[in-house]
């Protein structure tokens, strides 16, 4: 691609000369034409989707027989455009070079054709995109294939129609390009059932990602790149502590216009830099009404409350799992080997590379936004509530996301941009500063977890009493527990353990701390796996058993896939066959989560005050591997993310004010600190599982288990090195 590609032209797409065929499982009416934005140089043209479609991935086929796939999930670096593109290319025998993939404009239609099948709403999270779309999207593409066959038969009767490589239909005598048939095919009723391809010409191949070229040459449009003619620029300053509201404020600052947003002040200027500078100078000019419970928004108090609740006999815990004929507390008394350990994990920030931003245009009759969002389904009620407009008057365009990690499912930045645009009557581009991004996050909950476990003389775990005390996302958001599979009372990763444990009880006690919470990559598994896999290791050491051997003995026959990854990572790392280098040690952790199975071995060196993670060995069974390259990349990224959190990640609060302001005091892994990572993808014919979040949870316990072996010191409180800055190391 040329380096002179215009960013707005990329955002708005090609001229509307192509025909469109819906790949819909069920359609209640014939497909309408998909209107593609014009090349007018503005980014205000909308894409309208065919009404009544129950599933929404749409194929656009142009006169040159190029195929464009519109998808509902957000591309935030996980490679979902490529993975979903491979599903369609497989079913339609497309050459990879003729397929392109774009975000579809979101819709509030019901049923929503772009709704994640696992959520029933257009949301990207929980490592569900491939899992959710694997069969529906392949089925939809196969229906499009059969409609093309029917159109070919109508044009040239005789039967025997088959696909040919490169977007062609042939019966051995006559051959049509898809583009020759699409107009007629679009008028047909989709078949009620289809046969999916059994070949693997595209699925399972290491194909080049569709989004990378534009990201390399600079033509990719992230939210922060959007340009609208006549727009103004905004930044924002929030109350220093969450829950505060504006008491008084000036109307302008350094030439910038100020807008009261309730819990924040919007700052409007002629460019983003001026807006940010004006916002930064507002500290003494705004008076805030602060919440009355600031004393409880203190990390020392939050931890003290958690420690009290861990041992309290007067509090009534929520019991999420109770298994066995003997009360675990009684069974513990009969055990020959026991552990009683408390694990503490801190609040964490999302720290996406792209700060929060949104571009909005609001008129009396319409509203349109461009945003790096994971939560398109939430955008519509947000905008409707602010503008009073019906959903039919609202357009939501998803840009590339410079990282999401769960943060960009939230609506705070969307709401602010829409409020500002409505009030000033001009297009507005809102960009948070890095400080505002860090200090007004929706943080990963802190957690204090007590694990009491016991084993008999034969090495069987006979009792597990597990209590997690952490702030609840569900309670904070008034969500009924269980409605969100990623936040089942903050015990994801602790319930349904694969190990044979005769008597166990999994308890949750909410910590009433009032720090804003959000979904962080791997959610509950990020802290529960640390407690579970550290405790299993502590039991192994207490019993004098090899940690891999103990895990192998505890895995039940119902978990052959998890046993498979344990054996695979044992072989990959040389755990059972080769001693680690002198001055090094290895630690292991395994997980069944997000529909996948993973085993991780960390090899570290150093001392109690300074360690180096030299190698990470990972085996993953994620079902059918759509693109092994993307799987390896996601595992590597998850390991880097998990290491940053385990070694240094921490947000503390004093009177509700977070200590972090930038990456300078939120230490992350440097390139030179990245360990060598070996990944073994265990072959599988099972349905695909998730990968994006699966690589994170095992990192901390694997490193902690290696650290205990190396130094004799058991780390039960994360991070390993609190208070670290980017100048350390």
């Amino acid at each position: 691609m040329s380096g002179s590609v215009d960013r707005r032209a990329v955002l708005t797409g090609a001229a509307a000369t192509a025909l469109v065929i819906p790949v819909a499982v069920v359609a209640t009416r014939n497909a309408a034409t998909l209107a593609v934005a014009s090349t007018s140089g503005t980014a205000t043209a909308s894409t309208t989707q065919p009404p009544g479609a129950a599933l929404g991935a749409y194929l656009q086929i142009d006169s040159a027989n190029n195929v464009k796939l519109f998808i509902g999930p957000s591309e935030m670096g996980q490679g979902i455009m490529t993975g979903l593109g491979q599903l369609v290319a497989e079913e339609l025998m497309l050459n990879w070079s003729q397929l392109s993939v774009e975000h579809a404009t979101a819709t509030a239609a019901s049923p929503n054709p772009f709704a994640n099948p696992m959520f029933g709403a257009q949301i990207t999270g929980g490592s569900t995109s491939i899992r959710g779309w694997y069969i529906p999207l392949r089925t939809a593409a196969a229906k499009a294939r059969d409609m093309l066959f029917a159109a070919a038969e109508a044009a040239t009767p005789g039967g025997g129609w088959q696909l040919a490589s490169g977007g062609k239909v042939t019966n051995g005598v006559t051959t049509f390009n898809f583009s020759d048939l699409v107009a007629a095919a679009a008028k047909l009723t989709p078949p009620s059932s289809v046969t999916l391809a059994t070949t693997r010409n595209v699925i399972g191949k290491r194909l080049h990602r569709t989004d990378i070229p534009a990201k390399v040459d600079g033509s990719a449009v992230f939210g922060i790149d959007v340009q609208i003619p006549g727009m103004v620029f905004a930044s924002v300053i929030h109350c220093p502590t969450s829950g505060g509201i504006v008491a008084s404020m000036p109307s302008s600052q350094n030439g910038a216009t100020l807008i009261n947003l309730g819990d924040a002040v919007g700052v409007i200027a002629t460019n983003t830099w001026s807006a940010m500078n004006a916002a930064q100078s507002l500290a003494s000019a705004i008076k805030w009404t602060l919440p009355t419970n600031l004393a409880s928004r203190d990390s020392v108090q939050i931890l003290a409350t958690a420690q009290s609740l861990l041992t309290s006999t007067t509090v009534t815990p929520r019991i999420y799992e109770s298994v066995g004929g003997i009360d675990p507390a009684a069974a513990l008394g009969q055990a020959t080997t026991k552990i009683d350990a408390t694990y503490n994990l801190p609040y964490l920030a999302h720290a996406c590379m792209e700060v929060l931003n949104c571009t909005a245009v609001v008129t009396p009759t319409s509203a349109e936004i461009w945003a790096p969002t994971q939560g398109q389904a939430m955008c519509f009620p947000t905008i409707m509530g602010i503008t009073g407009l019906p959903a039919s008057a609202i357009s939501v365009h998803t840009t590339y996301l410079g990282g999401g990690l769960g943060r960009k499912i939230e609506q705070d930045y969307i709401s602010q941009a829409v409020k500002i645009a409505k009030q000033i009557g001009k297009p507005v581009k809102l960009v948070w500063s890095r400080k505002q991004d860090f200090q007004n996050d929706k943080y990963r909950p802190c957690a204090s977890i007590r694990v009491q476990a016991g084993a008999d003389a034969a090495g069987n775990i006979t009792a597990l009493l597990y209590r997690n005390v952490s702030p609840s996302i569900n309670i904070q958001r008034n969500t009924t527990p269980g409605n969100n599979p990623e936040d089942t009372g903050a015990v994801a990763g602790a319930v349904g353990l694969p190990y044979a444990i005769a008597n166990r009880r999994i308890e949750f006690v909410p910590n009433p701390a009032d720090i804003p919470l959000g979904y962080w990559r791997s959610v509950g598994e990020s802290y529960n796996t640390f407690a579970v896999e550290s405790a299993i290791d502590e039991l192994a050491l207490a019993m004098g058993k090899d940690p891999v051997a103990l895990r192998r003995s505890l895995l039940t026959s119902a978990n052959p896939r998890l046993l498979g990854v344990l054996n695979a990572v044992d072989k990959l790392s040389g755990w059972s066959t080769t001693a680690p280098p002198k001055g090094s040690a290895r630690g292991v952790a395994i997980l069944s989560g997000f529909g996948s199975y993973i085993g991780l071995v960390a090899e570290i060196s150093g001392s109690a005050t300074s360690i180096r993670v030299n190698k990470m060995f990972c085996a993953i069974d994620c079902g059918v591997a759509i693109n092994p390259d993307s799987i390896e990349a996601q595992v590597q990224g998850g390991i880097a993310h998990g290491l940053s959190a385990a070694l240094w990640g921490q947000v503390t609060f004093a009177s509700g004010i977070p200590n972090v302001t930038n990456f300078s005091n939120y230490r992350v892994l440097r390139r030179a600190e990245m360990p060598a990572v070996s990944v073994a993808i265990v072959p599988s014919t099972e349905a695909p599982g998730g990968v994006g979040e699966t690589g994170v949870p095992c990192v901390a316990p694997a490193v902690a288990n290696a650290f205990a072996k190396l130094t004799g010191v058991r780390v039960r409180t994360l991070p390993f090195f609190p208070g670290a800055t980017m100048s350390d190391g």
Side-chain angles (χ1 to χ4, degrees), residues 29 38 75 123 212 265 679 703:
R29 67 176 82 172
S38 71
E75 175 61 73
I123 298 171
I212 295 300
V265 174
V679 180
V703 174

Side-chain angles (χ1 to χ4, degrees), residues 71 84 111 114 136 179 195 218 226 274 338 355 372 380 390 393 401 424 522 526 544:
I71 64 167
L84 295 184
F114 297 103
S179 57
T195 301
V226 173
S274 295
K338 306 174 189 178
V355 294
F380 285 94
L401 283 67
I424 66 176
S522 76
S526 69

Side-chain angles (χ1 to χ4, degrees), residues 53-203:
L55 181 72
Y58 296 92
L59 290 178
Q60 176 181 294
I61 304 170
D62 68 16
S63 58
N65 212 36
N66 295 312
V67 180
K68 185 175 291 183
L69 171 65
F70 292 89
I71 64 167
S74 303
E75 175 61 73
M76 49 190 174
Q78 81 277 43
I80 198 59
M81 285 183 164
T82 303
L84 295 184
Q86 286 182 251
L87 303 184
V88 170
E90 186 74 83
E91 295 299 329
L92 295 176
M93 287 184 65
L94 298 173
N95 292 333
W96 192 236
S97 60
Q98 77 184 113
L99 179 71
S100 60
V101 187
E102 291 186 8
H103 291 119
T105 297
T107 176
S110 181
N112 183 345
F114 297 103
N116 182 324
M118 293 187 69
F119 289 139
Q122 192 174 350
I123 298 171
T124 305
S127 293
T128 59
S129 293
I130 288 290
R131 284 194 284 165
W133 290 102
Y134 179 64
I135 294 299
L137 191 52
R138 291 181 63 201
T139 300
K143 291 193 174 190
R145 173 202 66 202
D146 286 0
M147 293 163 72
L148 290 166
F149 288 165
E153 177 67 16
T156 308
W161 295 101
Q162 302 177 51
L163 290 173
S165 180
K168 294 179 173 61
V169 170
T170 185
N171 63 1
V173 177
T174 303
T175 299
F176 293 106
N177 286 328
F178 286 178
S179 57
D180 300 326
L181 303 169
V182 64
K187 299 175 183 178
L188 302 176
T189 300
S192 58
S193 62
V194 291
T195 301
L196 301 182
T198 56
T199 58
R200 285 290 183 267
N201 296 313
V202 180
I203 292 175

Side-chain angles (χ1 to χ4, degrees), residues 361-389:
V361 178
V362 178
T363 73
T365 58
S366 67
E368 194 160 14
I369 71 163
W370 292 260
T373 178
Q374 297 174 243
Q376 295 87 345
M378 289 93 151
C379 292
F380 285 94
T382 296
I383 299 169
M384 291 165 66
I386 295 168
T387 65
L389 293 168

Side-chain angles (χ1 to χ4, degrees), residues 7-333:
R7 290 174 179 260
R8 289 198 297 266
V10 173
L11 181 67
T12 55
T17 57
L19 294 167
V20 174
I21 179 170
V23 286
V25 171
V26 179
T28 57
R29 67 176 82 172
N30 288 336
T33 300
L34 183 65
V36 180
S38 71
T39 55
S40 62
T42 71
T44 57
S46 299
T47 306
T48 58
Q49 312 301 344
L55 181 72
Y58 296 92
L59 290 178
Q60 176 181 294
I61 304 170
D62 68 16
S63 58
N65 212 36
N66 295 312
V67 180
K68 185 175 291 183
L69 171 65
F70 292 89
I71 64 167
S74 303
E75 175 61 73
M76 49 190 174
Q78 81 277 43
I80 198 59
M81 285 183 164
T82 303
L84 295 184
Q86 286 182 251
L87 303 184
V88 170
E90 186 74 83
E91 295 299 329
L92 295 176
M93 287 184 65
L94 298 173
N95 292 333
W96 192 236
S97 60
Q98 77 184 113
L99 179 71
S100 60
V101 187
E102 291 186 8
H103 291 119
T105 297
T107 176
S110 181
N112 183 345
F114 297 103
N116 182 324
M118 293 187 69
F119 289 139
Q122 192 174 350
I123 298 171
T124 305
S127 293
T128 59
S129 293
I130 288 290
R131 284 194 284 165
W133 290 102
Y134 179 64
I135 294 299
L137 191 52
R138 291 181 63 201
T139 300
K143 291 193 174 190
R145 173 202 66 202
D146 286 0
M147 293 163 72
L148 290 166
F149 288 165
E153 177 67 16
T156 308
W161 295 101
Q162 302 177 51
L163 290 173
S165 180
K168 294 179 173 61
V169 170
T170 185
N171 63 1
V173 177
T174 303
T175 299
F176 293 106
N177 286 328
F178 286 178
S179 57
D180 300 326
L181 303 169
V182 64
K187 299 175 183 178
L188 302 176
T189 300
S192 58
S193 62
V194 291
T195 301
L196 301 182
T198 56
T199 58
R200 285 290 183 267
N201 296 313
V202 180
I203 292 175
K205 298 297 187 294
R206 295 175 179 270
L207 299 180
H208 297 302
R209 277 178 48 166
T210 65
D211 57 320
I212 295 300
K215 290 178 177 177
V216 171
D217 70 20
S219 61
V221 176
F222 293 82
I224 208 165
D225 295 321
V226 173
Q227 298 288 329
I228 303 292
M231 72 180 185
V232 296
F233 300 81
S235 194
V236 67
I237 183 166
H238 296 83
C239 180
T241 181
S242 63
I245 60 173
V246 176
S248 65
M249 54 175 275
S251 59
S252 64
Q253 181 79 8
N254 295 346
T257 302
L258 307 186
I259 294 179
N260 188 339
L261 298 172
D263 63 349
V265 174
V267 184
I268 297 89
T270 55
N271 58 69
T272 296
W273 183 243
S274 295
M276 285 185 177
N277 283 335
Q280 188 174 3
S281 67
L282 277 170
S284 61
I286 304 174
K287 304 302 179 185
W288 304 93
T289 300
L290 302 179
T292 59
N293 61 341
L294 290 183
S296 65
R297 300 184 179 197
D298 184 276
S299 290
V300 174
Q301 179 60 49
I302 292 168
L303 180 60
T305 299
Q307 301 304 309
S308 174
L309 292 173
L310 279 176
T311 57
S312 173
T313 57
T314 58
V315 67
T316 301
R318 300 181 182 187
I319 299 176
Y320 276 86
E321 187 175 69
S322 182
V323 176
I326 304 175
D327 181 83
L332 280 167

